[in-house]
Amino acid sequence: MRVGVLTGGGDCPGLNAVIRAVVRKGIEAHGWDVVGFRHGWRGPMEGISRPIGLDDVEDILTRGGTILGSSRTNPYKVDGGVEKIKAVLADQGVDALIAIGGEDTLGVAKKLTDDGVGVVGVPKTIDNDLGATDYTFGFDTAVHIATESIDRLRTTAESHHRALVVEVMGRHAGWIALHSGLAGGANVILVPERPFSVDKVVEWVTRRFEREYAPIIVVAEGALPEGGDEVLLTGEKDAFGHVRLGGIGTWLADEIANRTGKESRAVVLGHTQRGGTPTAYDRVLATRFGLHAVDAVADGDFGVMVALRGTDIVRVKLAEATAELKTVPVERYAEAEVFFG
Ligand code: F6P
């Protein structure tokens, strides 16, 4: 059997751990040939691939990024894209695909399965916002990086008695903000799920200053002030179709400085949260996802995604996997609010 593997969407620490597990188990337990497709769905569409052997995955467990490269190419948005994929797979004798990706990549995987291609999905996103799995790998690493940054920013903020606004990733869900904010002892945490009152933020910040501490505000990149959609979410797209966000961290730091008369700084953590080596937790989760994806292919169980439920890895239908965005529930946010101000 010949099995293809690809990584799509934004990269994420742990992708290489999945690839390694797929290759090790695929070759050693099943005697498969494993083929790596480059640049997400562009690889199988344009026939960009190479065989991956045991030596190729020897040193990649700890490495961030993806040895296969990634892209946001969607074959359903390319003329004849699906037909091209089918032709390449037939030409290269590839029987099945393991697609590692987020909502978009898994959405394509679902459609391809409906169109007769055997695909098994592996969920990935640092945002942890896929409804069908308790956790995605990459999230733990991102939270660690953000928490370490908050710890470091606190000491410099205290030295200068400034407010520090830390902007973390999370366009639609505030999981990174919530977890890193709680772990880093933030004085305010702002998430996309809940438009915030700037007056309230200023009140919390002022209270903190009055107690002679430097306030730390953690804000998810997709968070917005009440009624602030027009000011900050322009909807403008870059040359690659990526919607630009408004820079909420910098905006909020300026608001705080103007309204409190205190110095305020913004730090945008950006892609540092996605780079570098995965944490032990993410290495283990990614490895287990890879092993179970191989099992699904071996069983001929296509159109499914591996998922974490409690401590078990289960299979869920790809349709279910992409149906629901997992956002921060009110009760979880309320836990954090106890520490505001
Ligand atoms: O979905 C993961 C994510 O890291 C988001 O949190 C972030 O908004 C987006 O990707 C950034 O994408 P890009 O790498 O294309 O800038």
Side-chain angles (χ1 to χ4, degrees):
M1 185 154 175
R2 205 170 165 80
V3 176
V5 58
L6 64 88
T7 51
D11 73 331
C12 171
L15 288 169
N16 286 326
V18 182
I19 296 167
R20 170 178 172 268
V22 167
V23 171
R24 288 289 296 265
K25 190 162 187 180
I27 293 176
E28 292 182 323
H30 299 288
W32 295 345
D33 289 329
V34 181
V35 176
F37 283 103
R38 304 267 300 150
H39 318 307
W41 291 113
R42 220 186 104 201
M45 217 167 65
E46 297 178 14
I48 317 167
S49 69
R50 64 176 171 87
I52 326 184
L54 296 176
D55 287 341
D56 297 309
V57 298
E58 190 54 39
D59 292 325
I60 67 170
L61 173 64
T62 60
R63 212 188 301 164
T66 161
I67 59 164
L68 295 174
S70 192
S71 77
R72 296 189 191 273
T73 302
N74 183 335
Y76 285 90
K77 293 184 179 161
V78 176
D79 241 8
V82 178
E83 289 65 36
K84 285 183 190 164
I85 288 183
K86 286 184 176 178
V88 166
L89 296 184
D91 186 49
Q92 299 194 3
V94 173
D95 306 291
L97 285 176
I98 293 177
I100 313 163
E103 219 183 335
D104 291 344
T105 308
L106 297 172
V108 171
K110 190 218 166 271
K111 284 190 190 161
L112 277 177
T113 310
D114 295 344
D115 285 334
V117 179
V119 191
V120 167
V122 175
K124 155 267 39 155
T125 165
I126 63 163
D127 298 338
N128 199 39
D129 57 1
L130 281 176
T133 181
D134 287 353
Y135 280 98
T136 46
F137 62 85
F139 172 64
D140 187 63
T141 306
V143 169
H144 271 253
I145 294 166
T147 303
E148 202 207 325
S149 305
I150 294 167
D151 293 347
R152 289 177 187 279
L153 291 168
R154 183 183 297 286
T155 60
T156 164
E158 275 167 2
S159 304
H160 293 270
H161 207 58
R162 288 170 173 156
L164 249 157
V165 179
V166 188
E167 183 183 308
V168 298
M169 278 188 169
R171 284 182 165 239
H172 310 292
W175 291 107
I176 298 176
L178 182 74
H179 280 229
S180 64
L182 268 177
N187 308 109
V188 182
I189 300 171
L190 304 171
V191 296
E193 292 84 343
R194 202 178 158 121
F196 61 88
S197 147
V198 183
D199 290 344
K200 197 77 197 147
V201 172
V202 168
E203 196 184 306
W204 284 317
V205 165
T206 305
R207 203 190 311 162
R208 201 71 194 154
F209 273 131
E210 281 168 2
R211 292 178 59 203
E212 297 293 320
Y213 292 115
I216 303 286
I217 301 97
V218 176
V219 57
E221 60 184 339
L224 284 174
E226 286 163 353
D229 313 40
E230 282 156 35
V231 193
L232 290 162
L233 248 189
T234 59
E236 214 181 292
K237 291 184 178 176
D238 66 16
F240 302 93
H242 197 67
V243 178
R244 287 184 212 275
L245 295 179
I248 184 70
T250 311
W251 181 85
L252 186 59
D254 286 346
E255 282 292 302
I256 289 171
N258 292 338
R259 294 198 193 195
T260 62
K262 300 275 189 188
E263 268 199 315
S264 180
R265 296 283 188 272
V267 174
V268 180
L269 297 185
H271 292 82
T272 53
Q273 294 159 95
R274 282 203 341 222
T277 191
T279 58
Y281 180 88
D282 281 339
R283 291 179 202 181
V284 172
L285 181 59
T287 299
R288 293 184 71 205
F289 276 167
L291 297 174
H292 284 260
V294 167
D295 294 345
V297 172
D299 292 345
D301 192 5
F302 298 118
V304 297
M305 179 193 89
V306 291
L308 182 72
R309 293 276 165 87
T311 54
D312 294 333
I313 308 289
V314 299
R315 295 176 199 168
V316 296
K317 290 279 172 215
L318 275 170
E320 188 194 328
T322 51
E324 189 203 336
L325 189 80
K326 182 175 62 193
T327 50
V328 173
V330 175
E331 319 78 74
R332 287 295 308 275
Y333 191 72
E335 290 171 0
E337 273 179 313
V338 171
F339 301 99
F340 289 7

